[in-house]
Amino acid sequence: MFDRLKIMDEKYREIQDKLISGSLSVKEMTSYLKESSQLEDAVTSYRIYLSKENEVKELKELLEIEDDVELIGVAKDEIKTLEHELEKIEEDLRILLLPKDPNDDKNVMIEIKGAAGGDEGNIFAGDLFRMYSKYAEANNWKVEILDASEGTSGGFTSIEFMVSGKKAYSFLKYESGTHRVQRVPETESQGRIHTSTSTVIVMPEAEEIDFELNWNDIRVDVFRASGAGGQHVNTTDSAVRLTHIPSGLVVASQLGKSQHENKETAFKILKTRLYDKMLKDQSDKEAQERNKLVGRGDRSEKVRTYNYPQNRVTDHRVGLTLNRLDAIIDGKLELIIEPLINYYQKLQLEGNKNENN
């Protein structure tokens, strides 16, 4: 493990030298910054480990020459504390050296749709959007709505938005799936608890260096916007629909104030969807169960239940139940996301041990 960390440290130093050289193209700079970000956490922890290890060495050398009883006692206590810290850092390093998802540092595009339950499913989709927005705000991430279709009684029949920020995908990638809500709808006069669902899809944003999307493969159609967005709605053909001819994938955008703005947004959505499809096809082709569990997840799976009467949230993948629904729906999603990340990291560690045995 430490031989590998030493190599990573040397690589990180080389990248830093190249980044400050001032001789890189924009594409090279982007690539090196990405590689640097992927190495940074492991290298930083490794350097802290070496520093503390050196402190232990110096203290043990001091014990060999020191005859002050009080000072010897202090040194032994310090050694014990440092050795405990070294054990913790070593465990952290094992996790940091797990195979990385190459998309972890990316922004994410999230699509939420009301599913079973009609209006209540749409209202719940709006609640989920607010939950993710509050969580993003707490992490200093930016939220940009790309397209939305409002429900007749509130919420959204569908909403797509981009979350931009450091390692956004690494935290949100396990949110894909069916989210179920149990509560008394506002439209229910007899106070009966209903069960409704909304679906969530999380996709890593496609970047320029991921793959090229040729405009010759895209059919562009314009039409009159039909939703909220300003005075241009229903007066000009500002909405844009893009069809990727080879795959048949269709996306549309109508929230922008101009045809050009909607065309750019639709292109961003299309490229991200195609990149996500490419990743899913690759994962299916490899057919490795561990990679599926850790890297993609099953979108059709019921991942979580939100029970309002009991203020309870249950994540069915890890068997986690918390009576903190009010806090979680208000954006404190780390209460669930952190146990999820730990769960999948543990799976990876166990998988690596089995492979090595």
Side-chain angles (χ1 to χ4, degrees):
M1 179 177 78
F2 289 102
D3 288 341
R4 183 180 169 194
L5 284 164
K6 183 178 180 181
I7 293 172
M8 292 171 67
D9 191 6
E10 292 171 353
K11 181 66 174 177
Y12 184 78
R13 293 179 192 275
E14 291 176 6
I15 292 173
Q16 299 309 306
D17 290 340
K18 289 177 180 178
L19 287 172
I20 64 176
S21 67
S23 60
L24 300 175
S25 66
V26 174
K27 190 171 184 179
E28 288 173 328
M29 178 74 75
T30 301
S31 179
Y32 280 126
L33 283 171
K34 182 178 179 180
E35 190 174 2
S36 173
S37 177
Q38 292 172 343
L39 292 170
E40 185 175 12
D41 288 345
V43 169
T44 299
S45 293
Y46 173 59
R47 291 177 179 178
I48 292 173
Y49 183 92
L50 292 179
S51 175
K52 290 185 180 294
E53 188 179 50
N54 190 57
E55 287 183 54
V56 171
K57 181 182 177 182
E58 291 177 350
L59 285 169
K60 286 183 176 179
E61 290 174 351
L62 177 65
L63 290 178
E64 293 178 0
I65 61 173
E66 185 59 54
D67 55 5
D68 187 306
V69 176
E70 184 177 350
L71 190 57
I72 289 174
V74 171
K76 286 183 176 180
D77 288 341
E78 183 65 17
I79 289 172
K80 187 176 181 180
T81 299
L82 286 168
E83 287 178 339
H84 178 73
E85 292 175 358
L86 285 170
E87 290 177 4
K88 177 63 171 64
I89 296 172
E90 187 170 344
E91 184 62 28
D92 291 342
L93 284 168
R94 294 187 189 281
I95 293 173
L96 288 168
L97 287 177
L98 289 171
K100 290 284 191 298
D101 184 333
N103 295 304
D104 273 352
D105 291 329
K106 292 186 176 182
N107 302 328
V108 296
M109 189 176 82
I110 301 178
E111 175 191 85
I112 306 175
K113 287 186 175 182
D119 288 341
E120 177 62 11
N122 296 338
I123 292 170
F124 182 52
D127 294 336
L128 291 177
F129 170 67
R130 178 179 176 274
M131 178 182 74
Y132 291 125
S133 297
K134 297 279 282 185
Y135 178 67
E137 181 183 351
N139 284 280
N140 296 314
W141 296 336
K142 176 185 175 184
V143 174
E144 175 191 4
I145 298 177
L146 302 175
D147 198 31
S149 177
E150 295 180 358
T152 55
S153 299
F156 302 96
T157 59
S158 175
I159 182 168
E160 293 176 88
F161 56 100
M162 188 73 71
V163 179
S164 305
K166 186 176 181 181
K167 297 189 176 181
Y169 182 74
S170 69
F171 288 95
L172 292 169
K173 63 183 177 182
Y174 301 120
E175 292 302 297
S176 288
T178 299
H179 294 240
R180 183 174 69 172
V181 61
Q182 295 174 325
R183 64 185 176 188
V184 179
E186 295 178 5
T187 55
E188 172 58 55
S189 59
Q190 298 182 17
R192 293 177 300 180
I193 296 175
H194 285 223
T195 297
S196 306
T197 62
S198 295
T199 59
V200 176
I201 296 177
V202 178
M203 294 167 279
E205 181 185 19
E207 300 173 349
E208 290 299 323
I209 59 175
D210 291 326
F211 72 102
E212 294 294 330
L213 179 57
N214 194 332
W215 274 104
N216 293 328
D217 292 332
I218 301 172
R219 186 178 73 240
V220 181
D221 297 305
V222 296
F223 59 98
R224 191 155 294 181
S226 59
Q231 293 180 349
H232 68 287
V233 175
N234 293 325
T235 61
T236 62
D237 291 335
S238 60
V240 175
R241 181 186 298 109
L242 301 183
T243 302
H244 185 245
I245 298 170
S247 67
L249 187 62
V250 179
V251 302
S253 177
Q254 62 175 354
L255 294 186
K257 295 182 179 180
S258 69
Q259 188 180 118
H260 176 72
E261 186 177 341
N262 283 323
K263 187 176 180 181
E264 284 189 347
T265 299
F267 184 76
K268 182 188 294 185
I269 296 172
L270 179 62
K271 190 168 186 179
T272 296
R273 285 186 174 277
L274 285 170
Y275 180 58
D276 184 66
K277 183 178 184 301
M278 182 179 75
L279 292 174
K280 187 176 185 300
D281 290 346
Q282 179 181 340
S283 177
D284 290 345
K285 185 177 180 180
E286 292 171 354
Q288 296 179 357
E289 189 62 27
R290 186 166 63 115
N291 285 347
K292 286 182 181 179
L293 282 171
V294 177
R296 302 299 305 149
D298 184 353
R299 291 176 178 175
S300 64
E301 179 188 6
K302 179 185 69 178
V303 296
R304 197 172 297 150
T305 295
Y306 305 72
N307 185 299
Y308 275 74
Q310 298 182 31
N311 195 37
R312 185 182 69 217
V313 177
T314 299
D315 193 286
H316 303 287
R317 294 162 294 182
V318 295
L320 174 68
T321 296
L322 298 171
N323 292 101
R324 299 287 306 278
L325 183 149
D326 52 346
I328 291 166
I329 208 71
D330 198 42
K332 294 191 181 300
L333 201 51
E334 66 274 7
L335 294 172
I336 289 182
I337 285 179
E338 289 178 6
L340 272 172
I341 292 174
N342 291 336
Y343 171 77
Y344 287 117
Q345 285 178 342
K346 183 179 179 181
L347 280 183
Q348 280 188 296
L349 283 171
E350 291 174 353
N352 283 356
K353 289 177 182 177
N354 291 335
E355 289 176 3
N356 293 331
N357 289 338

